[in-house]
Amino acid sequence: MISVKIHETADVQSESIGPGTKIWQSVVVLPGARIGADVNICAHCFVENDVVIGDRVTVKSGVYLWDGVRLDNDVFVGPNVTFTNDKFPRSKAYPDSFLLTHVEEGASVGGGAVLLPGVTIGRGAMVGAGAVVTKSVPPYAIVYGSPARITGYVETTTLAGAVKDVAIRTPEDSREGVVKVGVGGVTLHRLKSVQDMRGDLSVGEFPKDIPFEPKRYFLVFNVPSEKTRGEHAHYKCHQFLICVKGSCAVVADDGESRCEVLLDSPDKGIYLPPLTWGIQYKYSSDAVLLVFTSHLYDAEDYIRNYAEFVEIAQSKAQQ
């Protein structure tokens, strides 16, 4: 069995440490901490009691993990990352319980980032160096800045396949202007467009061009450019999205692979079938997003937790 390697200058009081873990110079680990296998904790770190670290985690130098910090498997924490666990700290005044800060599987936090208490960094996400994270970060999102804002989604991950930047093709490139993007049943559509001196016109027919009979539509507009919308899937509802003015980016995810598409013309649309995780972001200041849906609004039809969505999607794929 691979033994734990603890440097002679480290003060390690916990007995809950997995095999193959290495703890380097001047690290302090309190008795209640739980540390997994093959973890690497670099010099001059501190691990408090109510801390749980998964397997194959890397914690670089100068990181203090306070009560309430949870690091899942394969997490990377860069040097001098600052975790916090109390929104209103006072000297010698302690809350009844500390807020949990959760970094999910495969996520990375860049050097010098600051994480406010109670946030969750979603699986596979990337927090840029020096970012100040004031709100939870969605799975696979790339964030940086102060306050941290979403600037993209990771291109590759061992957890959910590769993200593909898909450019929609013209009708001449694909029959009837429909392109499969390799993410479940998601398709991109080039709708009919006519231009003349009187103005431009784009038209689609149901269900010939848009593959379902709609029961409802809604418009999304006046969205601040840094905001992200969507971040959910549906059990039964089909959706078709058209950015009728301005532009916005749509991320479609089937639980195994993902694609990002820019909707920047009223004759472009994207079809999201049920059990597709959808995200919309990078809204231009004048963007107006039109969404057709196959069902009336039903709160019970929404899946809002990504981990739950992946489990449901994979179970469905195995049936």
Side-chain angles (χ1 to χ4, degrees):
M1 183 175 180
I2 302 175
S3 62
V4 176
K5 181 178 180 179
I6 299 175
H7 194 272
E8 60 184 10
T9 62
D11 178 9
V12 178
Q13 303 169 33
S14 173
E15 296 182 357
S16 180
I17 301 175
T21 288
K22 298 178 181 179
I23 300 176
W24 295 97
Q25 293 93 331
S26 302
V27 173
V28 176
V29 180
L30 296 188
R34 289 180 287 162
I35 301 174
D38 297 315
V39 173
N40 191 45
I41 301 179
C42 296
H44 303 285
C45 291
F46 177 81
V47 183
E48 209 166 13
N49 281 296
D50 184 21
V51 174
V52 180
I53 301 175
D55 298 336
R56 300 174 302 280
V57 171
T58 297
V59 180
K60 302 301 284 185
S61 297
V63 175
Y64 302 156
L65 302 177
W66 307 111
D67 286 341
V69 173
R70 304 289 187 266
L71 307 180
D72 286 354
N73 295 343
D74 302 298
V75 162
F76 173 87
V77 179
N80 300 307
V81 168
T82 299
F83 288 87
T84 57
N85 63 1
D86 189 347
K87 285 187 175 180
F88 306 102
R90 297 290 188 185
S91 180
K92 304 298 181 180
Y94 306 103
D96 293 334
S97 61
F98 291 103
L99 294 172
L100 295 181
T101 299
H102 188 186
V103 184
E104 294 184 343
E105 183 177 3
S108 294
V109 182
V114 178
L115 278 61
L116 265 61
V119 301
T120 295
I121 309 301
R123 66 162 68 184
M126 179 74 69
V127 177
V132 178
V133 180
T134 61
K135 298 180 180 179
S136 293
V137 177
Y140 305 109
I142 301 170
V143 302
Y144 67 84
S146 177
R149 296 176 177 176
I150 297 173
T151 61
Y153 285 78
V154 295
E155 293 185 352
T156 58
T157 173
T158 59
L159 300 175
V163 173
K164 307 169 186 176
D165 291 321
V166 180
I168 190 168
R169 294 181 284 177
T170 64
E172 292 76 19
D173 294 326
S174 61
R175 187 171 56 186
E176 298 181 353
V178 178
V179 181
K180 293 182 178 181
V181 303
V183 176
V186 177
T187 50
L188 296 177
H189 296 243
R190 177 76 72 177
L191 303 173
K192 297 180 181 68
S193 180
V194 179
Q195 297 89 29
D196 65 24
M197 61 186 301
R198 300 169 296 173
D200 300 340
L201 180 148
S202 179
V203 60
E205 298 180 355
F206 300 94
K208 179 181 177 182
D209 300 309
I210 299 173
F212 57 85
E213 295 283 357
K215 295 288 182 65
R216 182 174 65 107
Y217 81 89
F218 59 88
L219 293 167
V220 181
F221 53 96
N222 292 338
V223 178
S225 60
E226 74 274 10
K227 297 299 182 182
T228 300
R229 296 188 62 92
E231 297 186 299
H232 61 257
H234 291 276
Y235 288 102
K236 298 179 180 179
C237 187
H238 302 250
Q239 293 184 305
F240 194 90
L241 287 65
I242 305 170
C243 197
V244 297
K245 185 178 181 182
S247 64
C248 75
V250 177
V251 175
D253 184 332
D254 64 5
E256 292 291 338
S257 57
R258 287 168 290 127
C259 68
E260 179 176 326
V261 177
L262 181 66
L263 297 181
D264 58 356
S265 173
D267 62 349
K268 292 181 181 179
I270 184 168
Y271 166 60
L272 304 180
L275 291 182
T276 302
W277 188 265
I279 300 167
Q280 302 92 49
Y281 77 121
K282 294 182 182 176
Y283 282 85
S284 64
S285 60
D286 60 343
V288 179
L289 180 66
L290 170 64
V291 182
F292 294 107
T293 73
S294 63
H295 289 62
L296 299 177
Y297 176 78
D298 179 5
E300 297 300 319
D301 190 54
Y302 285 72
I303 307 170
R304 299 189 183 276
N305 180 279
Y306 184 79
E308 179 185 356
F309 159 72
V310 170
E311 184 177 347
I312 293 169
Q314 291 179 349
S315 175
K316 186 73 174 178
Q318 294 171 1
Q319 292 179 0

